[in-house]
Amino acid sequence: MASALFEVLGNEEFCVTALRGLDEAEVLSRLGTTASSVPYYRMEDVISHVGFESEAVQVHAPGGDWAYLFDANGSQGWSQSAPVLLRLCRGTEAISVCKIESFSTKVVLARDGVVIAEYDTWLDERPSGPDADGLKRILTRAGFFLPPEDRPDGFRHPRAALEAVEEEFGLRVDPAALAEPLPTVTAPVLRS
């Protein structure tokens, strides 16, 4: 399976968090704002507007089962940080994949305000948390935890992690829709 998210995000540092069953208004509300009070930027232009050091997320809620947060600066993994992620997933579930450095990919599952499983390629350990076995199963199907000679051709942690969660959770993103301006929420809004 090809990863639509990877095609949009590329091999650079990124962080994407998906929230089940929330529409744009609810996601923005949980971030402490509304659509009328945030700017809309295209993904390729967001850094020029908010700055490279800014903690900001863009919201894409196409309708259906999932809403998505894309970190403006993926190297920070801000939408995956505990204060943000746990606030967002109260009463629902979230899956987050971040490639925060060229050699580290982190996958976090959270449900109803609690992290239930996480895995970081940098630590090269098995997933941890109450649903560690579930996350291990998901990632093993994508080639994680296998000896290098048994991994699929072209195996790369970021792409494989995105493909695994897209397949497991039914994440579907239309790359053309992500070319449009998206609501962009910065950290000062979240901290208020």
Side-chain angles (χ1 to χ4, degrees):
M1 173 186 155
S3 169
L5 286 170
F6 193 80
E7 296 308 315
V8 169
L9 300 171
N11 201 28
E12 298 298 319
E13 296 168 334
F14 64 80
C15 189
V16 58
T17 300
L19 303 163
R20 186 185 297 272
L22 302 182
D23 63 14
E24 181 179 288
E26 180 61 24
V27 173
L28 291 172
S29 174
R30 290 175 185 219
L31 292 171
T33 191
T34 64
S36 63
S37 63
V38 296
Y40 284 61
Y41 302 123
R42 293 182 186 279
M43 286 182 112
E44 67 267 11
D45 300 330
V46 69
I47 292 296
S48 66
H49 290 284
V50 301
F52 187 72
E53 297 298 319
S54 177
E55 295 173 331
V57 292
Q58 294 193 280
V59 178
H60 175 58
D65 292 338
W66 295 92
Y68 303 86
L69 298 176
F70 299 97
D71 284 37
N73 180 353
S75 67
Q76 296 175 2
W78 189 61
S79 68
Q80 194 180 78
S81 68
V84 177
L85 186 63
L86 300 182
R87 177 179 180 176
L88 289 167
C89 77
R90 286 188 202 121
T92 190
E93 73 179 318
I95 177 72
S96 184
V97 179
C98 294
K99 180 186 176 198
I100 49 178
E101 298 177 12
S102 61
F103 44 80
S104 181
T105 301
K106 187 173 180 185
V107 181
V108 177
L109 293 172
R111 189 173 297 131
D112 200 20
V114 176
V115 170
I116 60 169
E118 58 187 314
Y119 172 68
D120 189 337
T121 60
W122 173 251
L123 301 175
D124 197 28
E125 298 172 352
R126 299 294 187 243
S128 62
D131 194 18
D133 289 342
L135 182 56
K136 181 181 177 199
R137 177 188 47 78
I138 293 165
L139 294 175
T140 298
R141 283 196 320 248
F144 287 83
F145 317 117
L146 299 174
E149 63 273 8
D150 293 337
R151 291 182 180 161
D153 289 341
F155 177 84
R156 297 288 181 266
H157 289 127
R159 179 185 296 272
L162 283 171
E163 288 174 354
V165 300
E166 283 174 289
E167 183 176 325
E168 177 70 18
F169 295 97
L171 303 181
R172 302 289 178 260
V173 175
D174 176 6
L178 297 179
E180 299 299 318
L182 299 172
T184 304
V185 180
T186 57
V189 171
L190 282 171
R191 292 192 181 122
S192 58

Short mmCIF file of all heavy atoms in Angstrom, two decimals, residues 14-40:
data_model
loop_
_atom_site.label_atom_id
_atom_site.label_comp_id
_atom_site.label_asym_id
_atom_site.label_seq_id
_atom_site.Cartn_x
_atom_site.Cartn_y
_atom_site.Cartn_z
N PHE A 14 8.43 15.38 9.87
CA PHE A 14 7.00 15.65 9.85
C PHE A 14 6.36 15.10 11.12
O PHE A 14 6.94 14.27 11.82
CB PHE A 14 6.33 15.03 8.63
CG PHE A 14 6.39 13.53 8.57
CD1 PHE A 14 5.51 12.75 9.32
CD2 PHE A 14 7.33 12.88 7.78
CE1 PHE A 14 5.57 11.37 9.28
CE2 PHE A 14 7.39 11.50 7.72
CZ PHE A 14 6.51 10.74 8.48
N CYS A 15 5.16 15.57 11.38
CA CYS A 15 4.34 15.00 12.44
C CYS A 15 2.89 15.16 12.02
O CYS A 15 2.45 16.27 11.68
CB CYS A 15 4.58 15.71 13.77
SG CYS A 15 3.77 14.87 15.15
N VAL A 16 2.17 14.05 11.99
CA VAL A 16 0.75 14.05 11.66
C VAL A 16 0.02 13.28 12.75
O VAL A 16 0.47 12.23 13.20
CB VAL A 16 0.48 13.45 10.26
CG1 VAL A 16 0.98 12.03 10.15
CG2 VAL A 16 -1.00 13.51 9.92
N THR A 17 -1.09 13.85 13.19
CA THR A 17 -1.91 13.25 14.22
C THR A 17 -3.33 13.15 13.69
O THR A 17 -3.87 14.15 13.19
CB THR A 17 -1.87 14.08 15.52
OG1 THR A 17 -0.51 14.14 15.98
CG2 THR A 17 -2.75 13.48 16.60
N ALA A 18 -3.94 11.97 13.80
CA ALA A 18 -5.32 11.77 13.35
C ALA A 18 -6.21 11.56 14.55
O ALA A 18 -5.85 10.84 15.49
CB ALA A 18 -5.40 10.57 12.41
N LEU A 19 -7.38 12.20 14.53
CA LEU A 19 -8.34 12.13 15.62
C LEU A 19 -9.64 11.55 15.10
O LEU A 19 -10.20 12.06 14.13
CB LEU A 19 -8.60 13.53 16.19
CG LEU A 19 -7.35 14.26 16.67
CD1 LEU A 19 -7.62 15.74 16.81
CD2 LEU A 19 -6.89 13.67 17.98
N ARG A 20 -10.12 10.51 15.74
CA ARG A 20 -11.33 9.82 15.26
C ARG A 20 -12.60 10.58 15.67
O ARG A 20 -12.78 10.96 16.81
CB ARG A 20 -11.40 8.41 15.81
CG ARG A 20 -12.56 7.60 15.21
CD ARG A 20 -12.72 6.23 15.83
NE ARG A 20 -11.61 5.33 15.64
CZ ARG A 20 -11.46 4.53 14.59
NH1 ARG A 20 -12.35 4.52 13.61
NH2 ARG A 20 -10.42 3.72 14.52
N GLY A 21 -13.47 10.75 14.65
CA GLY A 21 -14.83 11.22 14.90
C GLY A 21 -15.00 12.68 15.24
O GLY A 21 -16.07 13.08 15.70
N LEU A 22 -13.98 13.49 15.02
CA LEU A 22 -14.10 14.92 15.32
C LEU A 22 -14.19 15.72 14.03
O LEU A 22 -13.49 15.44 13.07
CB LEU A 22 -12.90 15.41 16.13
CG LEU A 22 -12.65 14.71 17.47
CD1 LEU A 22 -11.45 15.34 18.16
CD2 LEU A 22 -13.87 14.75 18.37
N ASP A 23 -15.06 16.74 14.03
CA ASP A 23 -15.10 17.63 12.88
C ASP A 23 -14.19 18.83 13.15
O ASP A 23 -13.61 18.96 14.23
CB ASP A 23 -16.55 18.06 12.57
CG ASP A 23 -17.21 18.85 13.70
OD1 ASP A 23 -16.51 19.32 14.63
OD2 ASP A 23 -18.44 19.00 13.64
N GLU A 24 -14.06 19.69 12.15
CA GLU A 24 -13.15 20.82 12.27
C GLU A 24 -13.50 21.71 13.46
O GLU A 24 -12.62 22.14 14.21
CB GLU A 24 -13.17 21.65 10.98
CG GLU A 24 -12.22 22.84 11.02
CD GLU A 24 -12.24 23.63 9.73
OE1 GLU A 24 -11.71 23.11 8.72
OE2 GLU A 24 -12.78 24.75 9.74
N ALA A 25 -14.76 22.02 13.65
CA ALA A 25 -15.17 22.90 14.75
C ALA A 25 -14.76 22.31 16.10
O ALA A 25 -14.27 23.03 16.98
CB ALA A 25 -16.68 23.15 14.70
N GLU A 26 -14.94 21.00 16.27
CA GLU A 26 -14.59 20.36 17.54
C GLU A 26 -13.08 20.34 17.74
O GLU A 26 -12.59 20.59 18.85
CB GLU A 26 -15.15 18.94 17.62
CG GLU A 26 -14.82 18.22 18.91
CD GLU A 26 -15.37 18.89 20.18
OE1 GLU A 26 -16.37 19.64 20.10
OE2 GLU A 26 -14.78 18.64 21.26
N VAL A 27 -12.32 20.06 16.70
CA VAL A 27 -10.86 20.07 16.82
C VAL A 27 -10.39 21.48 17.21
O VAL A 27 -9.60 21.65 18.14
CB VAL A 27 -10.17 19.61 15.53
CG1 VAL A 27 -8.66 19.80 15.62
CG2 VAL A 27 -10.50 18.16 15.23
N LEU A 28 -10.89 22.47 16.50
CA LEU A 28 -10.49 23.85 16.82
C LEU A 28 -10.90 24.23 18.23
O LEU A 28 -10.14 24.90 18.95
CB LEU A 28 -11.06 24.81 15.79
CG LEU A 28 -10.45 24.69 14.39
CD1 LEU A 28 -11.21 25.56 13.39
CD2 LEU A 28 -8.97 25.04 14.40
N SER A 29 -12.07 23.81 18.66
CA SER A 29 -12.52 24.08 20.03
C SER A 29 -11.57 23.47 21.05
O SER A 29 -11.19 24.11 22.03
CB SER A 29 -13.94 23.55 20.23
OG SER A 29 -14.32 23.69 21.57
N ARG A 30 -11.15 22.22 20.80
CA ARG A 30 -10.21 21.57 21.72
C ARG A 30 -8.84 22.24 21.70
O ARG A 30 -8.08 22.12 22.66
CB ARG A 30 -10.08 20.08 21.37
CG ARG A 30 -11.34 19.32 21.70
CD ARG A 30 -11.27 17.88 21.26
NE ARG A 30 -12.55 17.22 21.51
CZ ARG A 30 -12.69 15.99 21.95
NH1 ARG A 30 -11.62 15.24 22.16
NH2 ARG A 30 -13.88 15.49 22.13
N LEU A 31 -8.55 22.92 20.62
CA LEU A 31 -7.30 23.69 20.54
C LEU A 31 -7.47 25.10 21.11
O LEU A 31 -6.54 25.87 21.13
CB LEU A 31 -6.82 23.77 19.09
CG LEU A 31 -6.35 22.45 18.48
CD1 LEU A 31 -6.10 22.61 16.98
CD2 LEU A 31 -5.10 21.94 19.18
N GLY A 32 -8.70 25.41 21.53
CA GLY A 32 -8.95 26.69 22.19
C GLY A 32 -9.28 27.84 21.27
O GLY A 32 -9.05 29.00 21.62
N THR A 33 -9.82 27.53 20.09
CA THR A 33 -10.09 28.61 19.13
C THR A 33 -11.27 28.22 18.24
O THR A 33 -11.90 27.20 18.45
CB THR A 33 -8.82 28.90 18.30
OG1 THR A 33 -9.02 30.10 17.56
CG2 THR A 33 -8.44 27.75 17.40
N THR A 34 -11.55 29.06 17.25
CA THR A 34 -12.60 28.80 16.27
C THR A 34 -12.07 29.11 14.87
O THR A 34 -11.05 29.79 14.72
CB THR A 34 -13.84 29.69 16.52
OG1 THR A 34 -13.45 31.06 16.33
CG2 THR A 34 -14.41 29.49 17.91
N ALA A 35 -12.78 28.64 13.86
CA ALA A 35 -12.35 28.87 12.48
C ALA A 35 -12.29 30.36 12.15
O ALA A 35 -11.45 30.78 11.36
CB ALA A 35 -13.28 28.15 11.51
N SER A 36 -13.14 31.14 12.75
CA SER A 36 -13.16 32.58 12.43
C SER A 36 -12.01 33.34 13.08
O SER A 36 -11.75 34.48 12.71
CB SER A 36 -14.50 33.20 12.85
OG SER A 36 -14.65 33.09 14.25
N SER A 37 -11.31 32.71 14.02
CA SER A 37 -10.23 33.44 14.71
C SER A 37 -8.83 32.97 14.34
O SER A 37 -7.87 33.40 14.96
CB SER A 37 -10.44 33.36 16.22
OG SER A 37 -10.35 32.02 16.65
N VAL A 38 -8.70 32.06 13.37
CA VAL A 38 -7.38 31.60 12.97
C VAL A 38 -7.14 31.88 11.49
O VAL A 38 -8.09 31.89 10.70
CB VAL A 38 -7.17 30.08 13.25
CG1 VAL A 38 -7.24 29.79 14.73
CG2 VAL A 38 -8.15 29.23 12.47
N PRO A 39 -5.89 32.09 11.12
CA PRO A 39 -5.59 32.26 9.69
C PRO A 39 -5.59 30.93 8.97
O PRO A 39 -5.44 29.87 9.59
CB PRO A 39 -4.17 32.87 9.72
CG PRO A 39 -3.58 32.38 11.01
CD PRO A 39 -4.72 32.25 11.98
N TYR A 40 -5.75 30.99 7.67
CA TYR A 40 -5.68 29.82 6.80
C TYR A 40 -4.47 29.98 5.89
O TYR A 40 -4.34 31.02 5.23
CB TYR A 40 -6.95 29.70 5.94
CG TYR A 40 -8.15 29.20 6.68
CD1 TYR A 40 -8.67 29.88 7.77
CD2 TYR A 40 -8.78 28.02 6.30
CE1 TYR A 40 -9.78 29.42 8.46
CE2 TYR A 40 -9.90 27.55 6.97
CZ TYR A 40 -10.39 28.25 8.05
OH TYR A 40 -11.48 27.78 8.72
#
